[in-house]
Amino acid sequence: MPTIGVCITCFNRRERTLRCLRSLREAHLPSGTNLVVYLLDDGSTDGTASAVQAEDPYIRLYKGDGSFYWAGGMRVVYGEALKDRHDFYLWLNDDVELMLDAIERAICTLNALRRSVGGEHLIVGAMSDRDRRTTTYSGLVRASRVFPWKLKRIDPDPDEPVECETVNGNFVLIPGEVAQCLGNIHPAYVQMHADLVLGLAAKRIGVRNWIMPGFAGICDANVNGRKNWKTPGLSLRERLQLMEHPLGAPFRPRVAYSRNFGLWAPIVIAAPYLTLFYELLLSHSKPGKTE
């Protein structure tokens, strides 16, 4: 009987998390397929963990202390799911409301690609705003022929899968053998980059990344809590402190991410710092502006 290990991490979004899990329970699945849900609650103070257990005691719930963030939490639950050797793995954000047929369509897309082009594939499900017209998360392609780290999000096609360079991790279906080959998320990643690295690493071993037709669910663009080190009026020290926060642009994860780009790695590492100093110089050059 095929199984899908669903991996989710959450923090202080009780109602959104519960809506996500309800949409998961209601999802249409291929005949005989079962879901096993692995959820890490990263020290929520809004009662998320107890509410989840009350609604669905069969979820495998793991508890963090607030220091895991998204990539750290996903590393815990994905690692646990990998031990159980599922047929598929699904990375899912806790603020996603799935369309009823999203998982079924993702598996159908994967099987169709296996037949038509051969090999193995990651399937990303694009997300929309509530208007169901604006793409908020999806697959990404190169935005520049020269600079390989510059990426842009693209819209799904309503009828055909679209190949992409890498993926947003809001909804990603990973075949079991591919997951075992790629292994778990590198410990350098705390909040960002882990999903982008998943798609890039898959490509390196010959796995292709595709956006499945249509939208997989609703997920508003989430920018709350980001540490904006570009905010006017901050001192250099304050900006650097915000950059080093997990929700900013911290150094260690950026170094790990830069290794995906070969000789361009030093520029990938330096890019946010160059931007920082450029904006500082610009602010000082404007009359009446001080840091």
Side-chain angles (χ1 to χ4, degrees), residues 180-191:
Q180 295 296 335
C181 185
L182 291 173
N184 203 356
I185 296 168
H186 192 282
Y189 300 111
V190 181
Q191 172 68 15

Side-chain angles (χ1 to χ4, degrees), residues 10 12 21 25 33 42 54 83 89 107 130 140 143 147 158-159 197 236 279 288 291:
C10 65
N12 274 352
L21 294 173
R25 287 196 298 272
T33 302
D42 194 19
K83 294 176 186 177
Y89 297 85
I107 293 174
R130 294 197 174 274
L140 301 99
F147 306 117
D159 303 308
V197 171
L236 175 60
E279 293 195 356
E291 270 301 308

Side-chain angles (χ1 to χ4, degrees), residues 142-151 264 267:
R142 286 190 178 186
S144 167
R145 293 183 180 181
V146 179
F147 306 117
W149 71 91
K150 291 185 176 291
L151 301 167
W264 290 103
I267 297 177

Side-chain angles (χ1 to χ4, degrees), residues 3-244:
T3 59
I4 305 172
V6 183
C7 302
I8 309 171
T9 189
C10 65
F11 175 70
N12 274 352
R13 298 197 291 198
R14 181 180 62 188
E15 295 310 315
R16 289 188 181 186
T17 301
L18 292 174
R19 283 198 298 270
C20 173
L21 294 173
R22 289 166 192 153
S23 73
L24 189 60
R25 287 196 298 272
E26 294 168 0
H28 298 168
L29 301 174
S31 179
T33 302
N34 285 333
L35 300 179
V36 181
V37 182
Y38 303 76
L39 173 69
L40 182 130
D41 177 72
D42 194 19
S44 294
T45 57
D46 65 352
T48 298
S50 57
V52 166
Q53 286 181 315
E55 283 206 7
D56 192 343
Y58 296 102
I59 286 178
R60 300 191 185 184
L61 182 63
Y62 303 83
K63 295 183 180 180
D65 59 5
S67 66
F68 285 88
Y69 293 90
W70 181 76
M74 290 296 285
R75 181 164 52 250
V76 171
V77 289
Y78 191 40
E80 291 299 316
L82 286 171
K83 294 176 186 177
D84 294 334
R85 305 191 72 88
H86 295 287
D87 300 279
F88 306 96
Y89 297 85
L90 179 66
W91 285 20
L92 185 66
N93 259 33
D94 75 309
D95 55 348
V96 169
E97 292 180 53
L98 287 171
M99 294 187 175
L100 285 174
D101 63 345
I103 297 174
E104 192 173 43
R105 279 192 288 122
I107 293 174
C108 287
T109 300
L110 171 61
N111 289 333
L113 288 166
R114 284 168 166 171
R115 292 191 299 268
S116 61
V117 301
E120 277 293 12
H121 312 272
L122 298 190
I123 306 299
V124 57
M127 296 291 138
S128 77
D129 261 333
R130 294 197 174 274
D131 62 9
R132 303 205 179 191
R133 295 179 183 176
T134 304
T135 303
T136 53
Y137 299 97
S138 184
L140 301 99
V141 296
R142 286 190 178 186
S144 167
R145 293 183 180 181
V146 179
F147 306 117
W149 71 91
K150 291 185 176 291
L151 301 167
K152 63 180 180 181
R153 190 176 298 116
I154 57 174
D155 295 330
D157 184 275
D159 303 308
E160 299 292 335
V162 178
E163 191 164 11
C164 53
E165 184 79 8
T166 188
V167 301
N168 284 148
N170 302 65
F171 178 108
V172 187
L173 183 73
I174 311 166
E177 290 186 6
V178 173
Q180 295 296 335
C181 185
L182 291 173
N184 203 356
I185 296 168
H186 192 282
Y189 300 111
V190 181
Q191 172 68 15
M192 296 178 286
H193 301 310
D195 48 356
L196 302 179
V197 171
L198 173 70
L200 296 172
K203 285 200 72 173
R204 284 197 295 272
I205 63 170
V207 175
R208 298 168 70 176
N209 302 311
W210 299 83
I211 307 166
M212 75 183 199
F215 289 113
I218 296 170
C219 183
D220 293 330
N222 181 20
V223 295
N224 294 333
R226 295 282 173 87
K227 299 301 178 181
N228 187 3
W229 43 270
K230 298 179 183 180
T231 302
L234 296 176
S235 68
L236 175 60
R237 183 176 183 178
E238 289 170 330
R239 292 176 190 273
L240 290 171
Q241 286 175 339
L242 287 175
M243 287 181 72
E244 276 305 300

